[in-house]
């Protein structure tokens, strides 16, 4: 009998599938012709499978909403961008680059500030003010000065329900510490992964999904490298939610918001509705993408 479920773990060609109806975990293998057809199941894939024998068989991978190569995972709903206040210092350029990559993959980003207790009150309020601009742009932001307080961590966990969540952010931003506050097992898993990755560059890494707060959370902190190689100059303006809000009123369809007349995005910028730093980073990325084009 054909059933449906989601792959939550893969080990050496075996796939543990969480059955949609019974919530039972079934160990399966992929059908023999998957390899011929160059189909590789990923953790997070929704599948149809047959579990009549001792070992189940994946019959079909259902259409993916999105997928990532590193970490190898499919159908991600949201990414928690762990952003450090200090050690390493906050960088709006890096944050915007990560947000663009996440939006490009049709994943919803949330911003989680860490290490704010290392800042003076004045510096913290400055940073909180910057993050208020991200909140106004449409992002959910967690910016308490006590980064790991129970109330804020619980508020974050409340976003997990019925979603697949991954974590990302630069090295040293405090992802493992945050994961430990969410679930010790998850924090331990990511610490072990970091050690493995530091030992060998070519370590292949299997992701698992943990059941936390009625959702599934990946045990590996997100993307390994951040560049804009896959983003086109046409797509870039659509990856800024605040630009999307004003661009329908621009005079030109496909307005790049640079030198065009009657550009609503530039008007909103002049009126302080759009952050100057976000717009400056946009121009910087646009230039970066155009120079990629010339090189390749």
């Amino acid at each position: 009998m054909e059933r449906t479920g989601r792959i939550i773990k893969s080990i050496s060609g075996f796939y543990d599938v969480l059955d949609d109806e019974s919530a039972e975990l079934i160990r399966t293998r992929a059908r023999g012709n998957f390899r011929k057809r160059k189909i590789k199941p990923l953790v997070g894939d929704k599948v149809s499978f047959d579990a009549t024998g001792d070992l189940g068989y994946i019959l079909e991978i259902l259409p993916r909403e999105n997928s990532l190569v590193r970490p190898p995972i499919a159908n991600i709903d949201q990414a928690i961008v762990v952003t450090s206040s200090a050690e390493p210092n906050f960088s709006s350029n890096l944050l915007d680059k990560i947000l663009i990559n996440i939006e490009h993959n049709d994943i919803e980003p949330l911003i989680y500030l860490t290490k704010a207790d290392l800042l003076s009150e004045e510096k913290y309020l400055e940073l909180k003010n910057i993050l208020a601009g991200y909140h106004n742009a449409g992002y959910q932001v967690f910016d308490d000065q006590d980064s790991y307080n129970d109330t804020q961590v619980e508020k974050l966990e409340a976003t997990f329900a019925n979603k697949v969540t991954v974590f990302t952010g630069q090295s040293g931003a405090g992802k493992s510490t945050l994961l430990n506050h969410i679930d010790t097992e998850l924090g331990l898993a990511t610490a072990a992964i970091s050690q493995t990755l530091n030992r060998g560059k070519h370590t292949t890494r299997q992701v698992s999904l943990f059941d936390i707060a009625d959702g599934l959370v990946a045990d590996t902190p997100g993307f390994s490298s951040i560049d804009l190689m896959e983003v086109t100059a046409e797509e870039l303006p659509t990856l800024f939610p605040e630009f999307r809000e004003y661009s329908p009123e621009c005079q030109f369809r496909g307005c790049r918001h640079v030198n065009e007349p009657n550009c609503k995005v530039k008007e909103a910028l002049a009126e302080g509705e759009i952050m100057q730093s976000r717009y400056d980073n946009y121009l910087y990325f646009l230039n970066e993408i155009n120079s990629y084009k010339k090189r390749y």
Side-chain angles (χ1 to χ4, degrees), residues 18-130:
L18 190 65
D19 182 275
D20 282 340
E21 277 194 28
S22 66
E24 183 187 355
L25 210 53
I26 314 284
R27 180 146 291 185
T28 66
R29 290 202 84 143
R31 278 170 88 163
N33 67 1
F34 273 32
R35 189 170 286 176
K36 273 187 210 148
R37 290 160 60 200
K38 294 193 165 62
I39 296 172
K40 179 151 178 58
L42 291 177
V43 166
D45 270 332
K46 293 168 185 167
V47 297
S48 64
F49 67 100
D50 177 8
T52 44
D54 292 340
L55 187 66
Y57 272 89
I58 294 175
L59 305 170
E60 188 191 355
I61 294 170
L62 304 177
R64 287 174 182 156
E65 288 165 35
N66 54 42
S67 65
L68 296 173
V69 178
R70 286 187 293 268
I73 184 170
N75 300 315
I76 303 142
D77 297 299
Q78 64 177 16
I80 313 302
V81 184
V82 182
T83 307
S84 174
S85 311
E87 298 173 16
N89 291 337
F90 174 79
S91 158
S92 75
N93 186 285
L94 180 66
L95 175 57
D96 288 342
K97 203 172 239 192
I98 295 172
L99 293 172
I100 285 164
N101 263 282
I102 293 169
E103 296 257 3
H104 168 72
N105 285 292
D106 293 323
I107 299 166
E108 185 187 351
L110 291 79
I111 299 168
Y112 197 102
L113 188 69
T114 57
K115 305 189 183 181
D117 57 324
L118 299 178
L119 299 179
S120 68
E121 194 62 29
E122 186 188 349
K123 286 279 182 203
Y124 167 64
L125 292 173
E126 259 176 49
L127 187 48
K128 197 174 165 69
N129 191 40
I130 291 169

Side-chain angles (χ1 to χ4, degrees), residues 134-154:
Y134 284 88
H135 177 73
N136 293 339
Y139 295 107
Q140 192 169 348
V141 178
F142 297 84
D143 61 0
D144 278 17
Q145 191 159 17
D146 174 7
S147 311
Y148 308 114
N149 72 74
D150 291 347
T151 311
Q152 180 161 275
V153 172
E154 280 165 21

Side-chain angles (χ1 to χ4, degrees), residues 195-250:
Q195 283 178 336
T196 312
L197 289 179
N198 288 338
R199 271 208 304 273
K201 281 183 182 170
H202 303 293
T203 311
T204 53
R205 192 23 227 143
Q206 297 300 348
V207 182
S208 298
L209 291 173
F210 283 72
D211 187 353
I212 296 173
D214 299 322
L216 294 169
V217 179
D219 66 350
T220 175
F223 315 102
S224 62
S225 64
I226 298 294
D227 60 45
L228 302 175
M229 295 291 273
E230 290 178 14
V231 178
T232 63
E234 292 74 29
E235 187 193 9
L236 184 66
T238 70
L239 302 177
F240 284 74
E242 65 273 51
F243 290 14
R244 290 199 298 267
E245 189 184 331
Y246 293 101
S247 60
E249 296 173 54
C250 289

